[in-house]
Amino acid sequence: MNPPHLKGIVNAAVTTLSNGIAENINSKIQIVKSVGRGFKSVKGYRNALLFFNGKLDLLPE
């Protein structure tokens, strides 16, 4: 009889992979959500996420 998560437990013990990057991104998204409460549009929310993560280029061309 195998525990239901045995494959995942063995995989975590054998590999050195982590979900730290995904957790970091999720944390940043949650911060933007809590700071910006009440975005009027999806575009505004998207722009806030991009700006907060430093991937929005605001320099004029």
Side-chain angles (χ1 to χ4, degrees):
M1 185 165 132
N2 291 335
H5 303 291
L6 180 63
K7 185 177 178 181
I9 294 169
V10 170
N11 189 33
V14 172
T15 65
T16 59
L17 298 176
S18 157
N19 68 339
I21 294 172
E23 291 294 334
N24 186 22
I25 292 170
N26 188 40
S27 173
K28 289 179 181 181
I29 290 171
Q30 295 303 319
I31 290 170
V32 171
K33 271 176 56 177
S34 67
V35 169
R37 301 206 187 271
F39 288 101
K40 294 184 180 184
S41 68
V42 174
K43 185 177 180 181
Y45 181 57
R46 179 182 176 274
N47 286 341
L49 287 172
L50 291 172
F51 180 74
F52 186 78
N53 289 312
K55 300 200 184 205
L56 185 62
D57 185 15
L58 297 176
L59 296 174
E61 294 185 26

